[in-house]
Amino acid sequence: LAREVRWHGRAPALAVASLAAIVTKHAIEQISQIVDELLEDYSLKRWTCHKAMCRLFQHFCSKETLFDWAFLACSADALFGLAFDRHGLEQDVRMAVWFVLLWIRLLYSLRVLPWVGPRLLPITCAIKGTLVFFLVVFCCSAAAVHAYYTIGLCSEPSPIYAAIVQIFRLG
């Protein structure tokens, strides 16, 4: 994937600079949320070191904040890879993960639109209900792959890949 972004072997400087500006804006927004919470506590005269640390801990442990910081870290890593011209499978995987996160973030942002949000809510509720089902399917598939891998009937191109392909062809 990263190869497709490149132009004559390098990522276009304008594209990298634009993406870096967007990621920097998002990082500044995250930091400003933290500062706003601390200033709100301070302005209400409820500020003590212990309360401030508890508020920061609560803020950082929320799902949304953890996802935002993971997204920022992934974005920074992918952008550094583009800017400093890293090549290879590892960089391609990092770029692929970043692109997946960008698409999920776009979908999540569309929930505020009146023609998307009300139709998206039932889908997200249904997905939450099926997570246990997919966990059971994954564990059963992983057990079959592990058993087939242990038996070692096929080893081309690699033993684990051969086991996964064989199990999914069967089932």
mmCIF file of all heavy atoms in Angstrom, residues 39-88:
data_model
loop_
_atom_site.group_PDB
_atom_site.id
_atom_site.type_symbol
_atom_site.label_atom_id
_atom_site.label_comp_id
_atom_site.label_asym_id
_atom_site.label_seq_id
_atom_site.Cartn_x
_atom_site.Cartn_y
_atom_site.Cartn_z
ATOM 1 N N LEU A 39 -8.193 23.146 33.924
ATOM 2 C CA LEU A 39 -8.558 24.534 34.197
ATOM 3 C C LEU A 39 -9.976 24.642 34.742
ATOM 4 O O LEU A 39 -10.261 25.509 35.574
ATOM 5 C CB LEU A 39 -8.399 25.387 32.935
ATOM 6 C CG LEU A 39 -6.965 25.636 32.485
ATOM 7 C CD1 LEU A 39 -6.947 26.435 31.195
ATOM 8 C CD2 LEU A 39 -6.163 26.330 33.565
ATOM 9 N N GLU A 40 -10.876 23.787 34.300
ATOM 10 C CA GLU A 40 -12.241 23.794 34.819
ATOM 11 C C GLU A 40 -12.233 23.458 36.303
ATOM 12 O O GLU A 40 -12.898 24.115 37.100
ATOM 13 C CB GLU A 40 -13.100 22.795 34.051
ATOM 14 C CG GLU A 40 -14.527 22.713 34.545
ATOM 15 C CD GLU A 40 -15.310 21.636 33.809
ATOM 16 O OE1 GLU A 40 -14.996 21.362 32.646
ATOM 17 O OE2 GLU A 40 -16.219 21.068 34.428
ATOM 18 N N ASP A 41 -11.473 22.437 36.680
ATOM 19 C CA ASP A 41 -11.370 22.094 38.107
ATOM 20 C C ASP A 41 -10.741 23.233 38.903
ATOM 21 O O ASP A 41 -11.147 23.531 40.010
ATOM 22 C CB ASP A 41 -10.540 20.820 38.289
ATOM 23 C CG ASP A 41 -11.326 19.573 37.946
ATOM 24 O OD1 ASP A 41 -12.558 19.680 37.803
ATOM 25 O OD2 ASP A 41 -10.710 18.511 37.819
ATOM 26 N N TYR A 42 -9.728 23.881 38.318
ATOM 27 C CA TYR A 42 -9.040 24.966 39.023
ATOM 28 C C TYR A 42 -9.955 26.178 39.182
ATOM 29 O O TYR A 42 -9.979 26.816 40.226
ATOM 30 C CB TYR A 42 -7.770 25.361 38.262
ATOM 31 C CG TYR A 42 -6.965 26.418 38.963
ATOM 32 C CD1 TYR A 42 -6.232 26.093 40.095
ATOM 33 C CD2 TYR A 42 -6.947 27.721 38.496
ATOM 34 C CE1 TYR A 42 -5.495 27.054 40.745
ATOM 35 C CE2 TYR A 42 -6.220 28.693 39.145
ATOM 36 C CZ TYR A 42 -5.489 28.360 40.270
ATOM 37 O OH TYR A 42 -4.773 29.308 40.907
ATOM 38 N N SER A 43 -10.745 26.487 38.170
ATOM 39 C CA SER A 43 -11.626 27.657 38.246
ATOM 40 C C SER A 43 -12.772 27.432 39.227
ATOM 41 O O SER A 43 -13.307 28.383 39.776
ATOM 42 C CB SER A 43 -12.180 28.007 36.868
ATOM 43 O OG SER A 43 -13.049 26.988 36.435
ATOM 44 N N LEU A 44 -13.155 26.187 39.453
ATOM 45 C CA LEU A 44 -14.210 25.882 40.417
ATOM 46 C C LEU A 44 -13.660 25.680 41.824
ATOM 47 O O LEU A 44 -14.386 25.244 42.720
ATOM 48 C CB LEU A 44 -14.980 24.636 39.970
ATOM 49 C CG LEU A 44 -15.735 24.762 38.648
ATOM 50 C CD1 LEU A 44 -16.340 23.428 38.256
ATOM 51 C CD2 LEU A 44 -16.811 25.824 38.768
ATOM 52 N N LYS A 45 -12.386 25.960 42.014
ATOM 53 C CA LYS A 45 -11.715 25.856 43.322
ATOM 54 C C LYS A 45 -11.744 24.434 43.885
ATOM 55 O O LYS A 45 -11.729 24.234 45.073
ATOM 56 C CB LYS A 45 -12.333 26.813 44.344
ATOM 57 C CG LYS A 45 -12.384 28.259 43.925
ATOM 58 C CD LYS A 45 -10.996 28.839 43.845
ATOM 59 C CE LYS A 45 -11.105 30.348 43.594
ATOM 60 N NZ LYS A 45 -10.312 30.802 42.507
ATOM 61 N N ARG A 46 -11.831 23.453 42.981
ATOM 62 C CA ARG A 46 -11.809 22.062 43.417
ATOM 63 C C ARG A 46 -10.448 21.438 43.138
ATOM 64 O O ARG A 46 -10.298 20.245 43.182
ATOM 65 C CB ARG A 46 -12.866 21.259 42.670
ATOM 66 C CG ARG A 46 -14.269 21.693 42.923
ATOM 67 C CD ARG A 46 -15.230 20.786 42.229
ATOM 68 N NE ARG A 46 -14.939 20.759 40.793
ATOM 69 C CZ ARG A 46 -15.669 20.161 39.892
ATOM 70 N NH1 ARG A 46 -16.743 19.523 40.244
ATOM 71 N NH2 ARG A 46 -15.345 20.179 38.611
ATOM 72 N N TRP A 47 -9.478 22.264 42.860
ATOM 73 C CA TRP A 47 -8.216 21.737 42.381
ATOM 74 C C TRP A 47 -7.323 21.343 43.534
ATOM 75 O O TRP A 47 -6.951 22.158 44.371
ATOM 76 C CB TRP A 47 -7.522 22.774 41.515
ATOM 77 C CG TRP A 47 -6.420 22.189 40.700
ATOM 78 C CD1 TRP A 47 -6.545 21.549 39.528
ATOM 79 C CD2 TRP A 47 -5.037 22.190 41.021
ATOM 80 N NE1 TRP A 47 -5.333 21.146 39.070
ATOM 81 C CE2 TRP A 47 -4.369 21.527 39.977
ATOM 82 C CE3 TRP A 47 -4.287 22.662 42.072
ATOM 83 C CZ2 TRP A 47 -3.004 21.334 39.948
ATOM 84 C CZ3 TRP A 47 -2.925 22.477 42.056
ATOM 85 C CH2 TRP A 47 -2.302 21.822 41.002
ATOM 86 N N THR A 48 -7.011 20.084 43.600
ATOM 87 C CA THR A 48 -5.950 19.573 44.454
ATOM 88 C C THR A 48 -5.153 18.621 43.579
ATOM 89 O O THR A 48 -5.638 18.150 42.550
ATOM 90 C CB THR A 48 -6.500 18.811 45.684
ATOM 91 O OG1 THR A 48 -7.231 17.679 45.232
ATOM 92 C CG2 THR A 48 -7.379 19.716 46.543
ATOM 93 N N CYS A 49 -3.966 18.340 43.997
ATOM 94 C CA CYS A 49 -3.103 17.471 43.184
ATOM 95 C C CYS A 49 -3.733 16.089 43.026
ATOM 96 O O CYS A 49 -3.734 15.517 41.947
ATOM 97 C CB CYS A 49 -1.727 17.374 43.826
ATOM 98 S SG CYS A 49 -0.537 16.503 42.801
ATOM 99 N N HIS A 50 -4.311 15.588 44.109
ATOM 100 C CA HIS A 50 -4.919 14.259 44.055
ATOM 101 C C HIS A 50 -6.120 14.243 43.102
ATOM 102 O O HIS A 50 -6.264 13.335 42.281
ATOM 103 C CB HIS A 50 -5.343 13.821 45.453
ATOM 104 C CG HIS A 50 -6.039 12.510 45.478
ATOM 105 N ND1 HIS A 50 -5.374 11.323 45.214
ATOM 106 C CD2 HIS A 50 -7.331 12.183 45.707
ATOM 107 C CE1 HIS A 50 -6.242 10.326 45.284
ATOM 108 N NE2 HIS A 50 -7.434 10.813 45.594
ATOM 109 N N LYS A 51 -6.980 15.257 43.194
ATOM 110 C CA LYS A 51 -8.145 15.307 42.312
ATOM 111 C C LYS A 51 -7.729 15.489 40.859
ATOM 112 O O LYS A 51 -8.339 14.910 39.963
ATOM 113 C CB LYS A 51 -9.078 16.444 42.735
ATOM 114 C CG LYS A 51 -9.897 16.126 43.953
ATOM 115 C CD LYS A 51 -10.888 17.222 44.227
ATOM 116 C CE LYS A 51 -11.727 16.886 45.435
ATOM 117 N NZ LYS A 51 -12.717 17.914 45.718
ATOM 118 N N ALA A 52 -6.708 16.308 40.628
ATOM 119 C CA ALA A 52 -6.246 16.506 39.260
ATOM 120 C C ALA A 52 -5.715 15.207 38.675
ATOM 121 O O ALA A 52 -5.995 14.877 37.519
ATOM 122 C CB ALA A 52 -5.170 17.586 39.222
ATOM 123 N N MET A 53 -4.966 14.451 39.462
ATOM 124 C CA MET A 53 -4.437 13.186 38.967
ATOM 125 C C MET A 53 -5.563 12.176 38.721
ATOM 126 O O MET A 53 -5.530 11.429 37.745
ATOM 127 C CB MET A 53 -3.418 12.606 39.961
ATOM 128 C CG MET A 53 -2.155 13.443 40.076
ATOM 129 S SD MET A 53 -1.363 13.734 38.487
ATOM 130 C CE MET A 53 -0.719 12.148 38.135
ATOM 131 N N CYS A 54 -6.582 12.173 39.581
ATOM 132 C CA CYS A 54 -7.723 11.269 39.375
ATOM 133 C C CYS A 54 -8.474 11.633 38.104
ATOM 134 O O CYS A 54 -8.872 10.754 37.338
ATOM 135 C CB CYS A 54 -8.661 11.329 40.578
ATOM 136 S SG CYS A 54 -8.010 10.503 42.029
ATOM 137 N N ARG A 55 -8.661 12.935 37.868
ATOM 138 C CA ARG A 55 -9.362 13.365 36.651
ATOM 139 C C ARG A 55 -8.565 12.982 35.401
ATOM 140 O O ARG A 55 -9.124 12.524 34.411
ATOM 141 C CB ARG A 55 -9.575 14.883 36.664
ATOM 142 C CG ARG A 55 -10.626 15.386 37.597
ATOM 143 C CD ARG A 55 -12.001 15.139 37.044
ATOM 144 N NE ARG A 55 -12.195 15.824 35.789
ATOM 145 C CZ ARG A 55 -13.138 16.696 35.543
ATOM 146 N NH1 ARG A 55 -13.997 16.994 36.481
ATOM 147 N NH2 ARG A 55 -13.255 17.259 34.371
ATOM 148 N N LEU A 56 -7.240 13.196 35.456
ATOM 149 C CA LEU A 56 -6.413 12.818 34.307
ATOM 150 C C LEU A 56 -6.472 11.316 34.067
ATOM 151 O O LEU A 56 -6.555 10.862 32.927
ATOM 152 C CB LEU A 56 -4.969 13.265 34.520
ATOM 153 C CG LEU A 56 -4.689 14.732 34.317
ATOM 154 C CD1 LEU A 56 -3.233 15.041 34.652
ATOM 155 C CD2 LEU A 56 -4.989 15.153 32.902
ATOM 156 N N PHE A 57 -6.431 10.537 35.147
ATOM 157 C CA PHE A 57 -6.492 9.086 35.009
ATOM 158 C C PHE A 57 -7.829 8.665 34.402
ATOM 159 O O PHE A 57 -7.871 7.816 33.507
ATOM 160 C CB PHE A 57 -6.270 8.423 36.370
ATOM 161 C CG PHE A 57 -6.214 6.927 36.295
ATOM 162 C CD1 PHE A 57 -5.088 6.291 35.779
ATOM 163 C CD2 PHE A 57 -7.274 6.158 36.728
ATOM 164 C CE1 PHE A 57 -5.031 4.918 35.693
ATOM 165 C CE2 PHE A 57 -7.229 4.782 36.650
ATOM 166 C CZ PHE A 57 -6.103 4.160 36.131
ATOM 167 N N GLN A 58 -8.936 9.257 34.877
ATOM 168 C CA GLN A 58 -10.251 8.941 34.316
ATOM 169 C C GLN A 58 -10.322 9.326 32.842
ATOM 170 O O GLN A 58 -10.887 8.611 32.029
ATOM 171 C CB GLN A 58 -11.353 9.665 35.083
ATOM 172 C CG GLN A 58 -11.615 9.105 36.449
ATOM 173 C CD GLN A 58 -12.604 9.961 37.225
ATOM 174 O OE1 GLN A 58 -12.917 11.070 36.839
ATOM 175 N NE2 GLN A 58 -13.082 9.424 38.339
ATOM 176 N N HIS A 59 -9.736 10.461 32.517
ATOM 177 C CA HIS A 59 -9.760 10.921 31.126
ATOM 178 C C HIS A 59 -8.966 9.979 30.224
ATOM 179 O O HIS A 59 -9.421 9.607 29.149
ATOM 180 C CB HIS A 59 -9.199 12.339 31.033
ATOM 181 C CG HIS A 59 -9.183 12.889 29.649
ATOM 182 N ND1 HIS A 59 -10.321 13.335 29.012
ATOM 183 C CD2 HIS A 59 -8.175 13.037 28.753
ATOM 184 C CE1 HIS A 59 -10.011 13.748 27.805
ATOM 185 N NE2 HIS A 59 -8.713 13.575 27.624
ATOM 186 N N PHE A 60 -7.776 9.583 30.668
ATOM 187 C CA PHE A 60 -6.926 8.739 29.835
ATOM 188 C C PHE A 60 -7.432 7.314 29.725
ATOM 189 O O PHE A 60 -7.101 6.615 28.781
ATOM 190 C CB PHE A 60 -5.487 8.734 30.336
ATOM 191 C CG PHE A 60 -4.700 9.906 29.879
ATOM 192 C CD1 PHE A 60 -4.207 10.825 30.787
ATOM 193 C CD2 PHE A 60 -4.453 10.116 28.542
ATOM 194 C CE1 PHE A 60 -3.485 11.918 30.354
ATOM 195 C CE2 PHE A 60 -3.743 11.200 28.097
ATOM 196 C CZ PHE A 60 -3.253 12.108 29.019
ATOM 197 N N CYS A 61 -8.221 6.844 30.676
ATOM 198 C CA CYS A 61 -8.683 5.461 30.644
ATOM 199 C C CYS A 61 -10.011 5.279 29.922
ATOM 200 O O CYS A 61 -10.519 4.164 29.860
ATOM 201 C CB CYS A 61 -8.776 4.913 32.062
ATOM 202 S SG CYS A 61 -7.155 4.639 32.775
ATOM 203 N N SER A 62 -10.568 6.337 29.385
ATOM 204 C CA SER A 62 -11.809 6.166 28.633
ATOM 205 C C SER A 62 -11.499 5.546 27.266
ATOM 206 O O SER A 62 -10.411 5.718 26.720
ATOM 207 C CB SER A 62 -12.522 7.505 28.463
ATOM 208 O OG SER A 62 -11.800 8.342 27.596
ATOM 209 N N LYS A 63 -12.476 4.804 26.726
ATOM 210 C CA LYS A 63 -12.280 4.130 25.437
ATOM 211 C C LYS A 63 -11.935 5.112 24.337
ATOM 212 O O LYS A 63 -11.050 4.870 23.526
ATOM 213 C CB LYS A 63 -13.539 3.364 25.035
ATOM 214 C CG LYS A 63 -13.756 2.071 25.720
ATOM 215 C CD LYS A 63 -14.907 1.311 25.101
ATOM 216 C CE LYS A 63 -16.163 2.153 25.092
ATOM 217 N NZ LYS A 63 -17.368 1.406 24.702
ATOM 218 N N GLU A 64 -12.670 6.215 24.303
ATOM 219 C CA GLU A 64 -12.481 7.189 23.233
ATOM 220 C C GLU A 64 -11.081 7.781 23.264
ATOM 221 O O GLU A 64 -10.433 7.925 22.231
ATOM 222 C CB GLU A 64 -13.528 8.302 23.325
ATOM 223 C CG GLU A 64 -14.941 7.843 23.082
ATOM 224 C CD GLU A 64 -15.597 7.240 24.317
ATOM 225 O OE1 GLU A 64 -15.040 7.369 25.432
ATOM 226 O OE2 GLU A 64 -16.656 6.628 24.156
ATOM 227 N N THR A 65 -10.612 8.124 24.465
ATOM 228 C CA THR A 65 -9.290 8.730 24.585
ATOM 229 C C THR A 65 -8.195 7.740 24.224
ATOM 230 O O THR A 65 -7.245 8.090 23.515
ATOM 231 C CB THR A 65 -9.071 9.266 26.008
ATOM 232 O OG1 THR A 65 -10.125 10.172 26.321
ATOM 233 C CG2 THR A 65 -7.741 9.978 26.135
ATOM 234 N N LEU A 66 -8.337 6.504 24.679
ATOM 235 C CA LEU A 66 -7.333 5.491 24.332
ATOM 236 C C LEU A 66 -7.283 5.264 22.828
ATOM 237 O O LEU A 66 -6.200 5.141 22.242
ATOM 238 C CB LEU A 66 -7.622 4.183 25.068
ATOM 239 C CG LEU A 66 -7.360 4.196 26.573
ATOM 240 C CD1 LEU A 66 -7.811 2.886 27.197
ATOM 241 C CD2 LEU A 66 -5.896 4.454 26.862
ATOM 242 N N PHE A 67 -8.455 5.214 22.185
ATOM 243 C CA PHE A 67 -8.482 5.039 20.737
ATOM 244 C C PHE A 67 -7.857 6.246 20.042
ATOM 245 O O PHE A 67 -7.110 6.092 19.071
ATOM 246 C CB PHE A 67 -9.917 4.820 20.251
ATOM 247 C CG PHE A 67 -9.994 4.575 18.776
ATOM 248 C CD1 PHE A 67 -9.670 3.345 18.251
ATOM 249 C CD2 PHE A 67 -10.372 5.579 17.901
ATOM 250 C CE1 PHE A 67 -9.725 3.108 16.887
ATOM 251 C CE2 PHE A 67 -10.438 5.364 16.538
ATOM 252 C CZ PHE A 67 -10.107 4.119 16.029
ATOM 253 N N ASP A 68 -8.154 7.455 20.530
ATOM 254 C CA ASP A 68 -7.578 8.654 19.920
ATOM 255 C C ASP A 68 -6.060 8.669 20.026
ATOM 256 O O ASP A 68 -5.367 8.992 19.061
ATOM 257 C CB ASP A 68 -8.151 9.918 20.570
ATOM 258 C CG ASP A 68 -9.566 10.207 20.110
ATOM 259 O OD1 ASP A 68 -9.964 9.679 19.048
ATOM 260 O OD2 ASP A 68 -10.273 10.958 20.810
ATOM 261 N N TRP A 69 -5.529 8.320 21.205
ATOM 262 C CA TRP A 69 -4.068 8.328 21.358
ATOM 263 C C TRP A 69 -3.415 7.206 20.548
ATOM 264 O O TRP A 69 -2.324 7.389 19.989
ATOM 265 C CB TRP A 69 -3.677 8.249 22.827
ATOM 266 C CG TRP A 69 -3.883 9.562 23.519
ATOM 267 C CD1 TRP A 69 -4.881 9.875 24.381
ATOM 268 C CD2 TRP A 69 -3.098 10.755 23.370
ATOM 269 N NE1 TRP A 69 -4.759 11.182 24.785
ATOM 270 C CE2 TRP A 69 -3.676 11.744 24.193
ATOM 271 C CE3 TRP A 69 -1.970 11.081 22.633
ATOM 272 C CZ2 TRP A 69 -3.158 13.031 24.291
ATOM 273 C CZ3 TRP A 69 -1.450 12.365 22.732
ATOM 274 C CH2 TRP A 69 -2.040 13.323 23.544
ATOM 275 N N ALA A 70 -4.061 6.050 20.465
ATOM 276 C CA ALA A 70 -3.527 4.970 19.626
ATOM 277 C C ALA A 70 -3.541 5.389 18.159
ATOM 278 O O ALA A 70 -2.585 5.126 17.417
ATOM 279 C CB ALA A 70 -4.339 3.693 19.820
ATOM 280 N N PHE A 71 -4.609 6.073 17.751
ATOM 281 C CA PHE A 71 -4.685 6.576 16.387
ATOM 282 C C PHE A 71 -3.574 7.595 16.122
ATOM 283 O O PHE A 71 -2.930 7.571 15.064
ATOM 284 C CB PHE A 71 -6.057 7.203 16.136
ATOM 285 C CG PHE A 71 -6.165 7.898 14.808
ATOM 286 C CD1 PHE A 71 -6.297 7.165 13.649
ATOM 287 C CD2 PHE A 71 -6.115 9.272 14.717
ATOM 288 C CE1 PHE A 71 -6.384 7.786 12.413
ATOM 289 C CE2 PHE A 71 -6.207 9.917 13.498
ATOM 290 C CZ PHE A 71 -6.344 9.172 12.340
ATOM 291 N N LEU A 72 -3.336 8.488 17.078
ATOM 292 C CA LEU A 72 -2.265 9.482 16.910
ATOM 293 C C LEU A 72 -0.895 8.816 16.813
ATOM 294 O O LEU A 72 -0.061 9.213 16.000
ATOM 295 C CB LEU A 72 -2.291 10.487 18.057
ATOM 296 C CG LEU A 72 -3.372 11.549 17.985
ATOM 297 C CD1 LEU A 72 -3.406 12.369 19.268
ATOM 298 C CD2 LEU A 72 -3.134 12.456 16.796
ATOM 299 N N ALA A 73 -0.662 7.821 17.652
ATOM 300 C CA ALA A 73 0.629 7.123 17.614
ATOM 301 C C ALA A 73 0.817 6.400 16.283
ATOM 302 O O ALA A 73 1.892 6.459 15.675
ATOM 303 C CB ALA A 73 0.724 6.135 18.777
ATOM 304 N N CYS A 74 -0.232 5.734 15.813
ATOM 305 C CA CYS A 74 -0.173 5.032 14.533
ATOM 306 C C CYS A 74 0.026 6.023 13.388
ATOM 307 O O CYS A 74 0.799 5.776 12.461
ATOM 308 C CB CYS A 74 -1.434 4.213 14.341
ATOM 309 S SG CYS A 74 -1.429 3.198 12.872
ATOM 310 N N SER A 75 -0.660 7.164 13.463
ATOM 311 C CA SER A 75 -0.523 8.187 12.427
ATOM 312 C C SER A 75 0.892 8.749 12.388
ATOM 313 O O SER A 75 1.476 8.910 11.313
ATOM 314 C CB SER A 75 -1.509 9.334 12.680
ATOM 315 O OG SER A 75 -2.821 8.873 12.647
ATOM 316 N N ALA A 76 1.441 9.045 13.562
ATOM 317 C CA ALA A 76 2.802 9.588 13.623
ATOM 318 C C ALA A 76 3.808 8.583 13.070
ATOM 319 O O ALA A 76 4.706 8.949 12.302
ATOM 320 C CB ALA A 76 3.150 9.969 15.052
ATOM 321 N N ASP A 77 3.631 7.317 13.430
ATOM 322 C CA ASP A 77 4.539 6.279 12.936
ATOM 323 C C ASP A 77 4.470 6.153 11.421
ATOM 324 O O ASP A 77 5.494 6.087 10.737
ATOM 325 C CB ASP A 77 4.207 4.952 13.603
ATOM 326 C CG ASP A 77 5.172 3.865 13.206
ATOM 327 O OD1 ASP A 77 6.392 4.102 13.252
ATOM 328 O OD2 ASP A 77 4.699 2.778 12.829
ATOM 329 N N ALA A 78 3.256 6.148 10.878
ATOM 330 C CA ALA A 78 3.104 6.030 9.426
ATOM 331 C C ALA A 78 3.654 7.268 8.715
ATOM 332 O O ALA A 78 4.304 7.145 7.663
ATOM 333 C CB ALA A 78 1.639 5.834 9.075
ATOM 334 N N LEU A 79 3.425 8.440 9.283
ATOM 335 C CA LEU A 79 3.935 9.663 8.652
ATOM 336 C C LEU A 79 5.455 9.731 8.695
ATOM 337 O O LEU A 79 6.090 10.177 7.734
ATOM 338 C CB LEU A 79 3.328 10.897 9.320
ATOM 339 C CG LEU A 79 1.889 11.184 8.921
ATOM 340 C CD1 LEU A 79 1.326 12.300 9.757
ATOM 341 C CD2 LEU A 79 1.812 11.535 7.451
ATOM 342 N N PHE A 80 6.054 9.313 9.807
ATOM 343 C CA PHE A 80 7.516 9.276 9.859
ATOM 344 C C PHE A 80 8.060 8.301 8.829
ATOM 345 O O PHE A 80 9.096 8.546 8.210
ATOM 346 C CB PHE A 80 8.018 8.909 11.258
ATOM 347 C CG PHE A 80 8.006 10.047 12.218
ATOM 348 C CD1 PHE A 80 7.295 9.970 13.397
ATOM 349 C CD2 PHE A 80 8.701 11.217 11.957
ATOM 350 C CE1 PHE A 80 7.267 11.012 14.287
ATOM 351 C CE2 PHE A 80 8.689 12.278 12.837
ATOM 352 C CZ PHE A 80 7.966 12.180 14.008
ATOM 353 N N GLY A 81 7.354 7.189 8.650
ATOM 354 C CA GLY A 81 7.774 6.233 7.625
ATOM 355 C C GLY A 81 7.715 6.825 6.231
ATOM 356 O O GLY A 81 8.595 6.592 5.404
ATOM 357 N N LEU A 82 6.676 7.610 5.964
ATOM 358 C CA LEU A 82 6.579 8.270 4.656
ATOM 359 C C LEU A 82 7.627 9.367 4.510
ATOM 360 O O LEU A 82 8.271 9.498 3.472
ATOM 361 C CB LEU A 82 5.190 8.875 4.469
ATOM 362 C CG LEU A 82 4.068 7.942 4.085
ATOM 363 C CD1 LEU A 82 2.742 8.689 4.062
ATOM 364 C CD2 LEU A 82 4.328 7.316 2.734
ATOM 365 N N ALA A 83 7.780 10.168 5.555
ATOM 366 C CA ALA A 83 8.690 11.312 5.469
ATOM 367 C C ALA A 83 10.150 10.877 5.359
ATOM 368 O O ALA A 83 10.931 11.494 4.628
ATOM 369 C CB ALA A 83 8.508 12.212 6.686
ATOM 370 N N PHE A 84 10.520 9.822 6.078
ATOM 371 C CA PHE A 84 11.910 9.387 6.076
ATOM 372 C C PHE A 84 12.150 8.202 5.163
ATOM 373 O O PHE A 84 13.170 7.527 5.251
ATOM 374 C CB PHE A 84 12.374 9.092 7.502
ATOM 375 C CG PHE A 84 12.353 10.307 8.368
ATOM 376 C CD1 PHE A 84 11.487 10.400 9.443
ATOM 377 C CD2 PHE A 84 13.179 11.386 8.097
ATOM 378 C CE1 PHE A 84 11.459 11.521 10.240
ATOM 379 C CE2 PHE A 84 13.152 12.513 8.881
ATOM 380 C CZ PHE A 84 12.287 12.587 9.955
ATOM 381 N N ASP A 85 11.168 7.942 4.301
ATOM 382 C CA ASP A 85 11.321 6.988 3.206
ATOM 383 C C ASP A 85 11.699 5.580 3.671
ATOM 384 O O ASP A 85 12.612 4.966 3.142
ATOM 385 C CB ASP A 85 12.356 7.525 2.211
ATOM 386 C CG ASP A 85 12.027 7.095 0.796
ATOM 387 O OD1 ASP A 85 10.854 6.806 0.530
ATOM 388 O OD2 ASP A 85 12.948 7.054 -0.029
ATOM 389 N N ARG A 86 10.974 5.069 4.671
ATOM 390 C CA ARG A 86 11.190 3.691 5.098
ATOM 391 C C ARG A 86 10.485 2.770 4.112
ATOM 392 O O ARG A 86 9.397 3.071 3.632
ATOM 393 C CB ARG A 86 10.628 3.458 6.494
ATOM 394 C CG ARG A 86 11.407 4.159 7.581
ATOM 395 C CD ARG A 86 10.946 3.740 8.941
ATOM 396 N NE ARG A 86 9.572 4.176 9.190
ATOM 397 C CZ ARG A 86 9.038 4.295 10.395
ATOM 398 N NH1 ARG A 86 9.732 3.998 11.452
ATOM 399 N NH2 ARG A 86 7.796 4.694 10.538
ATOM 400 N N HIS A 87 11.102 1.651 3.816
ATOM 401 C CA HIS A 87 10.539 0.685 2.876
ATOM 402 C C HIS A 87 10.423 -0.666 3.562
ATOM 403 O O HIS A 87 11.023 -0.912 4.588
ATOM 404 C CB HIS A 87 11.446 0.538 1.644
ATOM 405 C CG HIS A 87 11.566 1.786 0.834
ATOM 406 N ND1 HIS A 87 10.570 2.240 0.018
ATOM 407 C CD2 HIS A 87 12.564 2.680 0.738
ATOM 408 C CE1 HIS A 87 10.947 3.361 -0.566
ATOM 409 N NE2 HIS A 87 12.162 3.652 -0.142
ATOM 410 N N GLY A 88 9.656 -1.532 2.958
ATOM 411 C CA GLY A 88 9.596 -2.908 3.420
ATOM 412 C C GLY A 88 8.215 -3.316 3.880
ATOM 413 O O GLY A 88 7.274 -2.518 3.938
#
